[in-house]
Amino acid sequence: MIKITDKSKCCGCEACSQICPKKCITMKPDEEGFMYPIVDESICINCGLCEKTCPELNLQENKNPIDVFAAINPNAEIRLKSSSGGVFFYLAEKIINQGGAVIGACYDKNWRVKHEVAYTLDDVQKMRGSKYVQSRMNDVYLQTKKLLQNGIPVLFSGTSCQIMALKLFLNKEYDKLLAVELICAGVPSPLLWSKYLKEEVYPKINSSQPSQEISNIEFREKSKGWKNFRIVISSKRATTHIVSDFNYENSFFSCVLKRAVQRYSCYSCPAKAGRSNSDITLGDFWNYQSDDIIVDDDRGVSVVLANTEKGIHFLEGLTLTRREFGEVMMKNPASVKSGTCSVYRKNFYKRINHKSVREEMAFLKRHVLIRRIVNKLLRLIRVNYLLTVSYTHLRAHETS
């Protein structure tokens, strides 16, 4: 039976609630807005299936990829509208053309993030682009299993823990499953996202139902470049954007970058470094150095880790250039390790009960800057002390 006594040991993948034969596990938000399983012990039959599907309780060994590439979609327009190199849409297009289904994260009508099933490229469009909020999984593991049992090809995309949870849920390999893992630096709470929308987006919309007036939300809009991306929220009516902030200026995204808002389990992810058993891992190839095949034109380059032969097969047709795994680990370390938990994480969600997201952004920026200055001064003092001690010893040696 699943019992959460340490919140850092639950990644919120929701696999336990979907595999329970008695449906006695429900996902409930805690005070920070993160979902955790609650078991109705009066119905539980102690079958143990929930524990067998839990990524935190079934740790795997690290695995290196079979091959590593920088990649871009050969269609420049698709790449420009994608968060990085447009590889996800290329893979999804292949699956849809086979008569298959694509499962990934999209927004609902209230701009909450959830996983859904798409059977057409029009529906896949909603899954494009990074979404910096933990997604609700609803019943997608069950739907995936049913589709695969019926012989329908499936591309399942998700964070490392979601892919690992799916594999544990299925408990067998399926030839027609393409598991695509998205490199993740940790997920913020849906509560924080909702608070941001209510404080900074909805007041700018002249409507009694402001969420219905939004036409699109892009966390990684690239009209000013891939490296200097903007958060853009568009209106159905207005010609100007409701929000158009560079990433470091946006209050929500700035808090995310400070590593103070992520789920506790994200600071010790159980599924990174090949442990999710995905076929392909996708992310940004930051600080990419151009070669004769792919030139960094600031429209986005993807890093692609091919973890299985199946994964390599699906990459055919992309513009690829082989790279070293060590280069990827250095330029996108989230591919193999979790980020460090900020000292401001412990009380962050308590503070935003009394402060706006923008006030908290200012607080974090100010305190992080002060902390950096203090640490730099301490390093300088330490270096000066060591130099003084060395000089004193040298003079003592000379006089003797």
Side-chain angles (χ1 to χ4, degrees), residues 77-329:
E77 185 178 349
I78 289 175
R79 181 159 66 106
L80 187 61
K81 292 180 179 179
S82 303
S83 290
S84 50
V87 175
F88 164 75
F89 192 80
Y90 181 87
L91 299 172
E93 194 171 16
K94 279 193 170 185
I95 293 291
I96 294 295
N97 289 340
Q98 293 176 10
V102 176
I103 297 174
C106 58
Y107 296 109
D108 68 11
K109 64 179 182 180
N110 293 312
W111 302 100
R112 295 170 297 205
V113 182
K114 62 176 182 177
H115 263 60
E116 281 193 348
V117 183
Y119 297 97
T120 67
L121 282 178
D122 282 344
D123 287 336
V124 170
Q125 296 283 355
K126 298 184 295 183
M127 299 173 181
R128 294 175 68 182
S130 301
K131 298 169 182 68
Y132 292 85
V133 188
Q134 184 158 32
S135 176
R136 288 303 313 272
M137 303 307 286
N138 299 317
D139 63 347
V140 293
Y141 300 128
L142 289 164
Q143 290 190 66
T144 301
K145 185 174 183 178
K146 186 175 180 180
L147 288 167
L148 292 169
Q149 288 175 336
N150 290 332
I152 297 172
V154 174
L155 184 159
F156 189 106
S157 68
T159 59
S160 305
C161 61
Q162 290 166 346
I163 298 296
M164 186 175 178
L166 172 70
K167 288 301 192 83
L168 291 168
F169 182 94
L170 295 174
N171 197 31
K172 64 174 288 189
E173 291 298 320
Y174 287 89
D175 291 338
K176 293 193 174 184
L177 170 65
L178 181 67
V180 178
E181 173 186 2
L182 307 175
I183 295 175
C184 170
V187 291
S189 160
L191 178 68
L192 178 63
W193 173 238
S194 176
K195 183 177 174 66
Y196 165 75
L197 291 175
K198 290 176 181 176
E199 290 177 354
E200 298 200 29
V201 180
Y202 295 161
K204 298 178 181 179
I205 303 172
N206 185 21
S207 172
S208 59
Q209 293 183 307
S211 65
Q212 307 307 308
E213 296 300 318
I214 296 173
S215 61
N216 193 27
I217 295 178
E218 297 175 88
F219 273 107
R220 301 276 298 279
E221 197 272 344
K222 297 191 292 188
S223 63
K224 301 296 183 183
W226 167 48
K227 304 177 193 70
N228 202 23
F229 61 87
R230 296 182 303 157
I231 291 82
V232 171
I233 301 178
S234 305
S235 169
K236 290 178 180 177
R237 300 182 185 183
T239 55
T240 57
H241 299 305
I242 303 167
V243 171
S244 181
D245 298 337
F246 286 109
N247 58 81
Y248 51 85
E249 296 173 339
N250 182 269
S251 62
F252 174 81
F253 204 81
S254 183
C255 290
V256 173
L257 292 174
K258 294 294 184 290
R259 307 288 309 155
V261 302
Q262 282 76 4
R263 189 182 182 98
Y264 276 118
S265 62
C266 296
Y267 301 110
S268 56
C269 177
K272 288 183 180 294
R275 288 175 287 176
S276 72
N277 291 315
S278 64
D279 296 300
I280 294 171
T281 303
L282 299 179
D284 293 280
F285 209 126
W286 297 122
N287 300 308
Y288 171 76
Q289 300 298 309
S290 300
D291 60 19
D292 293 337
I293 300 173
I294 297 177
V295 175
D296 181 8
D297 56 5
D298 206 21
R299 294 183 181 181
V301 179
S302 293
V303 60
V304 179
L305 308 181
N307 303 315
T308 64
E309 294 296 337
K310 185 198 304 182
I312 291 176
H313 170 74
F314 270 91
L315 298 177
E316 293 176 5
L318 283 166
T319 303
L320 300 168
T321 178
R322 186 170 277 109
R323 308 301 281 227
E324 294 295 326
F325 186 40
E327 182 186 7
V328 173
M329 290 190 291

